[in-house]
Amino acid sequence: MKPTHLQPFSNRHPLGDISVLHISVLLRAAEAEGVNAQELARHFQLSPQTLTSAEARISIPRFMRLGHAAIQACGNATLGLRTGALTRPVDMGLPGIAGECANTVGNAIQTLIHYSLLTSRNSRGTPTADPEKRLIQFYSIQPYNAFNYFVVDSVLSAWTQFLRTVSGQWDVLEKVCIEYPSTGMDELYEAWFRCPVQFGAATNSIAVRQDIWSQTTLLAQPAMHEKLLLLCETELRDIQRGWTTGDRVKSLLTPLFRGETPSLETIASKLGVTPWTLQRQLASENTGFRELMDDTRKQLARDYIRETETSLSEIAWLLGFSNPAALHKAYRRWFEISPGEHRKQFRATP
């Protein structure tokens, strides 16, 4: 049987998936807040075998529901910060271990970001690192609600904790930007990150101090870093080798849907081929661009209705429909039921 992380894109959850390495940290944080982590794991059908398998992943919606349940159980809305504080390089998988022995802190965090696909895939986008600005950016996961605030918190705080671990320093950041609006706990966030925190910002990001970025890491070991990078490259190629052209198109569509309908020309340009070549490649896989776009929208619409409380107008925007009425019409064509009624059915099902 193929390891979970080597499954083709098309066999995974359309919104993305995340390694149980991250899930284990979330459960540790919940337990530190007084939650019965074993009971929480059982409720979400996370067996000990799953949690001890480095290859296992769960869907992004399931992860969000798990985090929301943990927050409700402990009453700590900033559980994401606690999760980040408890994250070790080993909890970030092979990229975390490889980054830990990089020669500088800047190289360490760039390694972590470059190979993030090894432990997490999200159809919304991928994290990026800008070495010139020393800026590490997490993609937008708007619209924001009680189910996903903690995701931004846990990612930015985990990156911060990684920087603190590899540098041995506590004050590592210049500024933190958070896309969602302030929840009235600005001082708590600034105390945790130990720098200014801007809510309602244009991006989710952390800016690393210049002296920290160029500092030698505590466990710098060039030979091991090189060896581990080769392992990361091998795993990354194995993941991407299983992707068909259709898979690659689907991976690009979701973040481009917002408020518009991506064109064949746009997708072809991002794949580095001509529109005609892309059409020919898709035809050889017995599919087409319009079919893939419709199928991707169908999968995402069902997931947004079933897994989130996102409004129909927001879902319409996320899927590139001109208005909620257009979404309503497409949804009835796909599932022979209105999105509102389908959501009621999902809520009534245990």
Side-chain angles (χ1 to χ4, degrees):
M1 181 177 178
K2 266 189 172 185
T4 303
H5 80 287
L6 299 184
Q7 290 179 1
F9 176 90
S10 55
N11 289 346
R12 299 193 195 171
H13 197 284
L15 283 179
D17 48 45
I18 187 169
S19 169
V20 294
L21 294 173
H22 297 295
I23 308 307
S24 295
V25 184
L26 174 59
L27 291 173
R28 285 207 310 269
E31 190 168 43
E33 293 286 332
V35 177
N36 186 327
Q38 290 185 344
E39 183 178 324
L40 185 62
R42 280 196 300 270
H43 180 74
F44 283 86
Q45 300 179 327
L46 295 169
S47 68
Q49 290 77 18
T50 298
L51 292 172
T52 54
S53 170
E55 310 299 342
R57 294 192 180 212
I58 71 171
S59 72
I60 293 296
R62 192 175 171 195
F63 170 61
M64 290 167 61
R65 292 198 310 273
L66 174 64
H68 184 64
I71 289 171
Q72 287 187 313
C74 70
N76 181 4
T78 61
L79 184 64
L81 298 183
R82 188 70 180 268
T83 301
L86 294 177
T87 300
R88 306 161 299 179
V90 70
D91 296 316
M92 297 174 164
L94 195 55
I97 300 172
E100 193 173 22
C101 57
N103 60 332
T104 67
V105 173
N107 285 339
I109 191 70
Q110 288 182 89
T111 298
L112 187 69
I113 299 304
H114 183 72
Y115 295 107
S116 61
L117 186 63
L118 300 188
T119 59
S120 176
R121 179 190 66 83
N122 195 312
S123 61
R124 301 289 191 91
T126 55
T128 58
D130 184 339
E132 290 189 5
K133 296 180 180 179
R134 306 181 308 282
L135 192 69
I136 312 301
Q137 185 169 316
F138 183 56
Y139 42 86
S140 173
I141 57 172
Q142 61 176 300
Y144 290 100
N145 52 53
F147 286 84
N148 61 9
Y149 286 162
F150 89 93
V151 176
V152 175
D153 292 352
S154 61
V155 170
L156 299 186
S157 60
W159 289 347
T160 303
Q161 189 63 33
F162 178 78
L163 292 167
R164 289 170 174 168
T165 300
V166 300
S167 68
Q169 303 295 322
W170 190 247
D171 297 324
V172 295
L173 303 181
E174 289 180 350
K175 184 178 181 180
V176 172
C177 289
I178 294 177
E179 198 176 30
Y180 66 78
S182 171
T183 55
M185 295 181 285
D186 299 30
E187 290 184 3
L188 187 154
Y189 279 78
E190 293 195 344
W192 196 94
F193 287 106
R194 297 175 71 90
C195 70
V197 176
Q198 178 188 352
F199 288 91
T203 62
N204 297 306
S205 62
I206 59 173
V208 185
R209 282 174 43 180
Q210 185 170 13
D211 58 324
I212 296 296
W213 185 272
S214 58
Q215 179 183 318
T216 301
T217 61
L218 295 180
L219 299 181
Q221 178 30 268
M224 276 306 300
H225 182 60
E226 182 178 354
K227 183 177 180 65
L228 290 169
L229 286 184
L230 290 175
L231 291 176
C232 287
E233 279 295 326
T234 299
E235 289 208 2
L236 189 60
R237 284 198 302 269
D238 285 343
I239 290 174
Q240 296 174 333
R241 189 179 294 125
W243 289 14
T244 63
T245 300
D247 293 334
R248 296 178 191 280
V249 169
K250 283 187 173 183
S251 73
L252 292 171
L253 281 172
T254 304
L256 294 176
F257 273 141
R258 300 173 185 174
E260 60 183 276
T261 299
S263 67
L264 172 69
E265 290 74 18
T266 297
I267 298 298
S269 176
K270 286 185 172 292
L271 290 174
V273 299
T274 65
W276 182 86
T277 298
L278 178 56
Q279 286 179 314
R280 178 174 54 80
Q281 291 173 342
L282 293 177
S284 70
E285 296 173 2
N286 298 313
T287 188
F289 180 70
R290 289 187 179 180
E291 181 182 347
L292 286 171
M293 186 157 56
D294 192 62
D295 184 55
T296 303
R297 277 175 161 162
K298 177 182 177 180
Q299 290 179 325
L300 291 170
R302 179 185 175 93
D303 287 327
Y304 284 132
I305 291 296
R306 180 178 58 187
E307 308 288 2
T308 77
E309 298 295 333
T310 305
S311 70
L312 295 185
S313 60
E314 288 175 322
I315 294 174
W317 180 80
L318 284 169
L319 299 183
F321 287 106
S322 56
N323 52 56
L327 166 65
H328 194 278
K329 182 179 179 181
Y331 204 92
R332 275 197 173 276
R333 172 170 59 84
W334 292 325
F335 302 108
E336 298 182 346
I337 188 174
S338 73
E341 288 299 317
H342 215 182
R343 177 169 274 171
K344 289 180 182 178
Q345 286 187 5
F346 287 133
R347 296 296 178 267
T349 304

